[in-house]
């Protein structure tokens, strides 16, 4: 079964209201031909995973600037596993220190992008992800 | 997993499998045919509500509030939210869910966003099929939200039992309302954001119009003033949907309406397939290339070109 259209959930967990980055990325991915679901601010891991499953997305991208990345990424991973949806790729962006990045990579989180990343880098990353498969 | 196993899990109400099955049908996997055949015998139990109206009129918010209310009486609700695909990148930003956050953790509520992928009738190509899948899965109510529509995207009314048309006070004056299209398909009209200036004027203009254009109809569409974000008017909307349902049932119109919709779907898809077959025909493509050259060289008008093409296609058969 080969998939023609790649669906991506861009979600903004946490209590802060800094959603510009998530919106720019969502828009940029749309322009790159992806189908992007954007669910707005203040998403809990449960909401994110529920949405990802109902929408049958291929990828979840989280934007975290609040410092809660060490809680939220592992929790999303755990819920994906619990619901048997480990085929969904999880990546993200935000202000994440390198040492935390390493830990998250080891848990199985995909690439974590820094502020200032070009959209084209993210697009290339996602395209490569599906070329391999 | 084989398709049999998928369908077994579908039967067991596995939401993840429901989502996967929708994808298979939306993407026209080869399994799609078997899925649709399986589902075909199980549809018809759900009541289908369509919500349409211009961009920014508050359709998604209205659906969120309405669904919250309906959850008092129904356990299983499915929502299909259509948003447009870009005609340039073919990508899409599906944002209807933002307004439905309060439903994300409601058990029994399943929301699926669909991109139009080139469809121009205000709905995604496989909207009907996805509604059927939700129906077969056991959803009691299915709500379908169109993209933000202009005046001509009226297909939704063929897909659902009750069509709700949502306007806002800025939707226009009497002349806009008199124009054909949206104002002819509503079973219920909603003026949302009714705290804004102009709501009362629109109300009376709409009322006048409905009295004229629905004078031969037994059902007179009600007009409801709502403020979806404030949860105002939602109770009345629910009540009128129930009234419309009762009207359809008491007058034996529900089955008739659904049968008509199926035949329409049959015609539409038949025509689509015929076109596909036609374009696959080598001779047709050749004659088309010749005729288009002649038209470009002004040897033939477009009308003459078409006549010539039709002669050749007919002769071919």
């Amino acid at each position: 079964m080969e998939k023609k259209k790649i669906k991506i959930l861009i979600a903004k967990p946490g209590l802060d209201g800094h959603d510009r980055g998530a919106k720019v990325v969502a828009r940029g991915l749309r322009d790159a031909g992806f189908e992007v679901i954007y669910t707005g601010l203040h998403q809990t891991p449960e909401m994110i995973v529920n949405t990802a499953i109902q929408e049958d997305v291929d990828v979840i991208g989280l934007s975290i600037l609040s410092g809660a990345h060490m809680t939220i990424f592992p929790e999303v991973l755990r819920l994906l596993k619990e619901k048997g949806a480990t085929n969904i790729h999880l990546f993200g962006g935000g202000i994440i220190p390198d040492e935390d990045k390493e830990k998250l990579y080891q848990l199985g989180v995909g690439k974590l992008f820094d502020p200032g990343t070009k959209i084209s880098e993210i697009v290339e990353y996602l395209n490569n992800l599906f070329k391999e498969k | 997993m084989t398709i049999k196993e998928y369908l077994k899990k579908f039967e067991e109400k596995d939401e993840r499998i429901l989502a996967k099955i929708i994808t298979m049908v939306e993407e026209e996997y080869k399994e799609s045919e078997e899925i649709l055949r399986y589902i075909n015998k199980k549809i018809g139990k759900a009541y289908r509500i369509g919500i349409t109206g211009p961009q920014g009129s508050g359709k998604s918010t209205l659906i969120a509030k309405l669904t919250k209310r309906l959850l008092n009486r129904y356990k299983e609700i499915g929502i299909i939210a259509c948003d447009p695909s870009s005609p340039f990148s073919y990508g899409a930003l599906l944002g209807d869910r933002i307004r439905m956050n309060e439903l994300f953790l409601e058990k029994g509520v399943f929301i699926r966003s669909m991109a139009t992928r080139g469809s121009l009738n205000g709905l995604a190509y496989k909207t009907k099929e996805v509604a059927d899948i939700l129906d077969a899965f056991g959803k009691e109510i299915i709500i379908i939200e169109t993209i933000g529509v202009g005046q001509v995207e009226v297909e939704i009314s063929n897909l659902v039992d009750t069509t709700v048309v949502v306007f806002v006070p800025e939707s226009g004056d009497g002349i806009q309302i008199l124009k054909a299209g949206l104002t002819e398909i509503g079973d219920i009209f909603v003026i949302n954001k009714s705290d804004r200036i102009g709501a009362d004027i629109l109300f009376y203009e709409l009322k006048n119009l409905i009295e004229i254009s629905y004078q031969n109809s037994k059902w007179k569409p009600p007009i409801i003033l709502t403020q979806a974000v404030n949860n105002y008017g939602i109770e009345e909307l629910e009540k009128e949907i129930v009234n419309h349902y009762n009207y359809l049932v008491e007058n034996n119109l529900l089955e008739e309406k659904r049968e008509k919709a199926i035949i329409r779907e049959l015609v539409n898809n038949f025509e689509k397939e015929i076109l596909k077959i036609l374009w696959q025909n080598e001779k047709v493509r050749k004659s088309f290339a010749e005729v288009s050259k002649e038209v470009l060289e002004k040897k033939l008008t477009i009308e003459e070109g078409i006549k010539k093409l039709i002669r050749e296609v007919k002769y071919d058969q």
Side-chain angles (χ1 to χ4, degrees):
Chain A
M1 282 184 264
E2 122 202 50
K3 226 179 144 175
K4 292 176 216 151
K5 202 84 197 171
I6 295 164
K7 278 177 101 173
I8 301 173
L9 169 64
I10 295 293
K12 179 77 187 73
L15 296 175
D16 66 297
H18 304 284
D19 61 348
R20 173 139 341 153
K23 280 180 178 160
V24 169
V25 170
R27 162 81 201 265
L29 295 179
R30 184 204 81 180
D31 290 342
F34 296 103
E35 283 186 359
V36 184
I37 293 148
Y38 180 60
T39 50
L41 292 164
H42 312 320
Q43 301 287 301
T44 65
E46 287 83 3
M47 291 163 99
I48 291 164
V49 171
N50 268 7
T51 296
I53 284 174
Q54 291 187 355
E55 299 284 359
D56 193 23
V57 299
D58 306 285
V59 180
I60 301 174
L62 299 183
S63 165
I64 305 181
L65 299 143
S66 62
H69 48 268
M70 292 312 281
T71 316
I72 288 166
F73 278 106
E75 180 61 5
V76 170
L77 279 180
R78 189 188 70 77
L79 286 167
L80 285 174
K81 205 174 280 172
E82 187 184 295
K83 308 227 172 181
T86 44
N87 59 316
I88 300 176
H89 181 83
L90 176 67
F91 83 110
I95 303 167
I96 300 165
D98 286 344
E99 56 204 81
D100 288 353
K101 270 189 197 164
E102 269 317 310
K103 283 181 203 152
L104 290 171
Y105 289 152
Q106 268 162 28
L107 286 175
V109 177
K111 188 141 177 70
L112 297 166
F113 292 95
D114 292 320
T117 302
K118 286 196 181 122
I119 296 286
S120 54
E121 280 174 54
I122 304 175
V123 170
E124 200 190 326
Y125 169 72
L126 291 170
N127 278 332
N128 282 335
L129 216 59
F130 290 96
K131 229 183 270 163
E132 284 162 25
K133 278 184 185 172
Chain B
M1 238 197 291
T2 66
I3 189 67
K4 290 266 173 320
E5 289 167 310
Y6 267 103
L7 292 175
K8 189 166 169 283
K9 293 223 164 183
F10 180 84
E11 197 78 17
E12 290 161 5
K13 303 229 178 297
D14 184 328
E15 228 184 43
R16 203 167 68 84
I17 298 302
L18 166 62
K20 291 264 174 224
I21 280 191
I22 289 175
T23 304
M24 289 182 200
V25 170
E26 190 183 15
E27 302 267 338
E28 296 183 312
Y29 288 0
K30 61 178 190 317
E31 291 86 349
S32 177
E33 208 169 301
E34 190 173 342
I35 294 169
L36 292 176
R37 193 184 323 121
Y38 169 83
I39 269 155
N40 199 25
K41 296 196 182 89
K42 298 170 171 284
I43 56 181
K45 289 192 199 90
Y47 195 74
R48 302 182 189 197
I49 303 165
I51 310 275
T52 188
Q55 191 174 25
S57 54
K59 297 181 292 298
S60 305
T61 311
L62 209 62
I63 289 173
K65 304 294 177 186
L66 178 65
T67 303
K68 264 286 201 224
R69 270 204 77 83
L70 290 170
L71 281 171
N72 294 327
R73 304 206 287 162
Y74 303 95
K75 280 199 193 78
E76 296 287 336
I77 299 177
I79 299 170
I80 302 170
C82 299
D83 259 333
S85 299
S86 159
F88 304 105
S89 72
Y90 307 110
L93 207 154
L94 308 164
D96 289 325
R97 267 184 175 266
I98 298 183
R99 324 287 175 192
M100 301 180 190
N101 265 307
E102 60 192 292
L103 303 177
F104 287 4
L105 297 177
E106 290 287 358
K107 246 179 127 21
V109 176
F110 186 95
I111 308 171
R112 183 69 173 228
S113 312
M114 293 184 79
T116 53
R117 299 185 180 178
S119 158
L120 294 174
N121 62 11
L123 296 161
Y125 275 120
K126 299 284 174 184
T127 308
K128 183 196 174 287
E129 286 80 354
V130 174
D132 288 347
I133 294 169
L134 290 170
D135 188 341
F137 189 76
K139 296 294 168 197
E140 300 159 279
I141 305 271
I142 296 165
I143 305 179
I144 302 174
E145 175 181 355
T146 67
I147 65 166
V149 298
Q151 295 163 323
V152 296
E153 299 94 332
V154 296
E155 183 61 27
I156 180 75
S157 61
N158 298 309
L159 225 65
V160 297
D161 304 315
T162 297
T163 305
V164 179
V165 176
V166 185
F167 288 118
V168 281
E170 296 83 355
S171 291
D173 59 9
I175 297 300
Q176 298 303 332
I177 297 291
L178 279 174
K179 289 181 184 171
L182 267 193
T183 48
E184 296 172 285
I185 61 162
D187 299 308
I188 295 167
F189 289 94
V190 164
I191 301 174
N192 193 31
K193 310 189 185 183
S194 62
D195 51 327
R196 291 193 187 169
I197 292 172
D200 48 347
I201 298 172
L202 184 63
F203 179 86
Y204 287 111
E205 274 169 351
L206 207 48
K207 196 164 184 289
N208 282 336
L209 177 84
I210 286 168
E211 268 164 26
I212 300 163
S213 48
Y214 287 75
Q215 60 184 338
N216 295 323
S217 153
K218 262 182 90 179
W219 174 258
K220 310 283 180 220
I223 309 167
I224 306 163
L225 295 169
T226 62
Q227 293 164 33
V229 281
N230 299 326
N231 227 343
Y232 173 87
I234 308 300
E235 194 180 342
E236 205 187 335
L237 175 59
E238 184 196 17
K239 205 180 76 197
E240 290 296 352
I241 291 171
V242 174
N243 283 346
H244 186 246
Y245 166 78
N246 289 335
Y247 159 80
L248 289 177
V249 171
E250 282 159 18
N251 293 283
N252 294 320
L253 291 170
L254 190 58
E255 277 318 301
E256 190 188 314
K257 202 173 174 174
R258 288 178 176 183
E259 276 170 15
K260 257 193 208 160
I262 291 171
I263 297 303
R264 210 187 130 86
E265 185 76 8
L266 190 64
V267 170
N268 282 349
N269 290 356
F270 177 60
E271 286 175 355
K272 246 184 253 163
E273 287 306 312
I274 288 284
L275 277 181
K276 250 193 234 163
I277 294 170
L278 198 64
W279 282 118
Q280 277 161 3
N281 185 316
E282 210 46 58
K283 268 189 191 161
V284 170
R285 289 218 300 261
K286 221 176 121 209
S287 339
F288 184 81
E290 282 162 16
V291 168
S292 33
K293 202 165 155 250
E294 285 173 296
V295 170
L296 285 177
E297 285 166 355
K298 303 236 187 289
K299 283 183 192 151
L300 293 175
T301 65
I302 288 182
E303 288 73 15
E304 286 164 346
I306 291 169
K307 272 191 187 147
K308 188 173 171 190
L309 271 174
I310 288 184
R311 266 200 310 274
E312 283 177 19
V313 171
K314 270 188 183 160
Y315 177 73
D316 198 45
Q317 262 139 34

